[in-house]
């Protein structure tokens, strides 16, 4: 997946380059800088001392010594001083310069901490916004296959902005149906679900609520039921597949393949597999990612998901969050992923 938000200690990331939130003197310090120098060993400081410091907003590259990555890119974020002192432009520059250095050194995988969001006091939600915006802009315009990680060290400190968080929470509270683990109610609900499936078999709904997809799934188009009708005959007239529908929708929207898979946060290799195999069955997060990239309505999203054997339900937080964003007409996959991360859900993309 081209942009991933992960929870980890950046010194444990086995990527091509990790980025360090350094200071102007490149002399090591606290926070992530301290962790990186401790894990890399004294040789790192020795090399840093040869670089002549680093301006705020700029970036410099060194070896990684005992770290599991190949390079460390040192960038110096701005100190937050109320937000009216060029902080945003300087922070953006940190990401741009670091990504350019990584690209120039042939890195395919790069991991960033949230620059300036610790000792330098940049509000975490704003720092995350800058990180996501600049990295996604870079990936959209980058011809190489790069994967960039935003590494969140302390999940408690992760914030997507109070307003968005409380809006989503309210939406979840209104729409999310808690699942019960109680056995009796599970069995009675399952029985009810079977009945529901029986009833719906004549309709057109495929439900994944009670894992009875196979029993009650129905075709888009009813089969004429004649005595000569064999399984073989039916298998010859399969409906449009997920991959076929996806390619058709890409054309209908006037998008190029690359525009679509980049917007879906899907890497080129996976897209090629889907394109070349009309019967490819993607995972749910991949299928939803394409629906978001194509800016499909809720109904169209359901149709596309159904092709991959999935549905959106109110008994699943992931689904409710996706519904929230689609209803708001917000198809920014990176913002959606931030929200999914905040609610401990799987992220969209491969
Ligand atoms: N892995 C990933 N993220 C981490 C880790 C880690 N091991 N440790 C901390 N973070 P900070 P800054 C997160 O303070 O604000 C140093 O003294 C942390 O939770 O490291 O740019 C330098 O020498 C926070 O979200 O960097 C500078 O003087 C983010 O990394 C100054 O601090 C950045 O926090 C730079 O301050």
């Amino acid at each position: 997946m081209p942009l991933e938000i992960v929870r980890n200690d950046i010194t444990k990331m086995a990527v091509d380059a990790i980025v360090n939130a350094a200071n102007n003197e490149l002399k090591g310090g606290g926070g992530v800088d301290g962790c990186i120098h401790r894990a890399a060993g004294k040789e790192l400081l020795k090399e840093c001392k040869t670089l002549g410091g680093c301006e705020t907003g700029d970036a410099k590259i060194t070896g990684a010594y005992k770290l599991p990555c190949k390079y460390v890119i040192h960038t110096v974020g701005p100190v937050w001083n109320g937000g009216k002192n060029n902080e945003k432009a300087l922070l953006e520059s940190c990401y741009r310069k670091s990504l350019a250095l990584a690209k120039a050194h042939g890195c395919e995988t790069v991991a960033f901490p949230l620059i300036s969001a610790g000792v330098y006091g940049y509000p975490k939600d704003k720092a995350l916004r800058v990180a996501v915006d600049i990295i996604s802009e870079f990936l959209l315009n980058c011809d190489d296959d790069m994967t960039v990680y935003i590494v969140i060290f302390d999940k408690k400190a992760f914030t997507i902005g109070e307003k968005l968080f409380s809006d989503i929470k309210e939406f979840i509270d209104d729409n999310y149906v808690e699942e019960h683990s109680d056995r009796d109610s599970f069995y009675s609900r399952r029985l009810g679900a079977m009945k529901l499936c029986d009833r719906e078999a004549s309709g057109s709904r495929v439900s994944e609520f009670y894992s009875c997809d196979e029993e009650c799934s129905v075709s888009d188009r009813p089969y004429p039921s004649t005595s000569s009708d064999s399984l073989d005959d039916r298998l010859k007239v399969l409906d449009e597949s997920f991959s076929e529908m996806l390619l058709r929708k890409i054309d209908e929207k006037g998008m190029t393949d690359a525009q679509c898979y980049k917007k879906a946060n899907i890497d080129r290799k996976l897209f090629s597999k889907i394109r070349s195999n009309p019967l490819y069955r993607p995972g749910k997060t991949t299928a939803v990612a394409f629906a978001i990239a194509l800016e499909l309505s809720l109904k169209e999203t359901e149709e596309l998901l159904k092709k991959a054997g999935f549905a959106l339900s109110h008994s699943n937080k992931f689904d409710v969050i996706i519904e929230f964003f689609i209803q708001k007409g917000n198809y920014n996959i990176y913002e959606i992923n931030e929200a999914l991360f905040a609610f401990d859900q799987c992220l969209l993309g491969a």
Side-chain angles (χ1 to χ4, degrees):
M1 186 156 60
L3 171 56
E4 280 195 53
I5 305 173
V6 296
R7 193 179 336 173
N8 206 343
D9 173 346
I10 204 162
T11 63
K12 305 277 189 297
M13 300 284 293
V15 286
D16 292 334
I18 63 169
V19 179
N20 180 21
N23 49 51
N24 295 119
E25 293 81 22
L26 299 184
K27 60 175 189 204
V32 71
D33 198 7
C35 294
I36 289 174
H37 275 276
R38 272 193 299 280
K42 290 192 180 123
E43 294 296 307
L44 179 60
L45 187 59
K46 228 170 156 184
E47 187 179 351
C48 282
K49 282 182 178 164
T50 67
L51 298 175
C54 183
E55 297 285 320
T56 303
D58 202 356
K60 298 214 171 159
I61 192 163
T62 63
Y65 303 95
K66 293 184 187 155
L67 287 160
C69 53
K70 291 188 208 152
Y71 300 105
V72 179
I73 295 170
H74 307 263
T75 188
V76 184
V79 175
W80 179 260
N81 211 346
K84 297 209 170 98
N85 295 283
N86 210 25
E87 291 96 329
K88 185 163 178 275
L90 286 168
L91 188 56
E92 288 175 349
S93 168
C94 287
Y95 285 97
R96 288 203 183 98
K97 293 262 172 88
S98 301
L99 288 163
L101 261 184
K103 193 174 171 201
H105 283 76
C107 299
E108 290 181 352
T109 48
V110 188
F112 281 89
L114 274 186
I115 310 289
S116 284
V119 177
Y120 283 178
Y122 210 106
K124 285 189 189 289
D125 57 336
K126 292 189 172 63
L128 177 67
R129 184 75 280 134
V130 170
V132 168
D133 285 352
I134 302 305
I135 295 169
S136 52
E137 173 194 283
F138 171 84
L139 289 172
L140 276 174
N141 298 314
C142 176
D143 297 329
D144 303 334
D145 289 332
M146 268 174 93
T147 298
V148 181
Y149 299 89
I150 297 177
V151 182
I152 305 294
F153 191 47
D154 176 9
K155 178 74 196 299
K156 270 189 241 134
F158 178 85
T159 154
I160 54 168
E162 265 170 46
K163 171 84 174 76
L164 180 60
F165 191 89
S166 65
D167 283 355
I168 296 174
K169 196 161 176 327
E170 194 182 321
F171 191 80
I172 290 175
D173 289 344
D174 288 349
N175 292 281
Y176 178 49
V177 184
E178 279 291 347
E179 296 209 26
H180 304 283
S181 55
D182 169 84
R183 287 193 124 221
D184 287 348
S185 80
F186 171 77
Y187 283 120
S188 61
R189 279 184 334 118
R190 180 162 175 88
L191 205 63
M194 295 293 190
K195 286 184 188 144
L196 183 72
C197 288
D198 285 349
R199 259 187 285 129
E200 286 181 353
S202 59
S204 62
R205 221 179 94 200
V206 180
S207 163
E208 65 167 3
F209 287 48
Y210 306 105
S211 58
C212 61
D213 303 13
E214 291 84 10
E215 292 134 288
C216 65
S217 67
V218 287
S219 152
D220 290 340
R221 157 162 51 99
Y223 287 101
S225 171
T226 64
S227 51
S228 62
D229 185 25
S230 72
L231 180 58
D232 250 8
D233 292 336
R234 287 194 175 199
L235 290 173
K236 278 181 204 142
V237 287
L238 289 179
D239 283 327
E240 184 182 42
S241 68
F242 174 84
S243 150
E244 287 163 345
M245 181 183 264
L246 173 67
L247 297 175
R248 174 170 63 78
K249 295 251 179 215
I250 291 175
D251 288 345
E252 282 171 10
K253 298 273 171 181
M255 292 173 99
T256 63
D257 289 354
Q259 279 170 340
C260 182
Y261 69 71
K262 284 189 174 192
K263 217 173 147 206
N265 202 30
I266 300 279
D267 69 45
R268 189 179 47 81
K269 285 183 206 125
L270 176 66
F271 184 81
S272 303
K273 266 196 218 164
I274 299 175
R275 180 170 244 311
S276 58
N277 178 3
L279 296 179
Y280 187 90
R281 295 267 306 236
K284 185 166 181 177
T285 53
T286 302
V288 172
F290 280 118
I292 297 297
L294 289 161
E295 304 197 357
L296 301 184
S297 67
L298 211 46
K299 188 164 169 279
E300 292 170 316
T301 300
E302 292 273 10
E303 279 165 12
L304 185 67
L305 287 183
K306 197 168 128 184
K307 294 290 179 186
F310 302 112
L312 291 178
S313 92
H314 283 177
S315 58
N316 182 334
K317 264 191 203 176
F318 171 92
D319 294 357
V320 174
I321 293 170
I322 297 303
E323 193 178 315
F324 172 88
F325 279 93
I326 292 178
Q327 278 186 358
K328 295 252 175 252
N330 181 344
Y331 291 97
N332 183 328
I333 198 146
Y334 303 109
E335 270 182 41
I336 299 174
N337 273 346
E338 283 173 43
L340 289 169
F341 186 84
F343 285 92
D344 287 320
Q345 301 300 305
C346 293
L347 306 193
L348 297 184

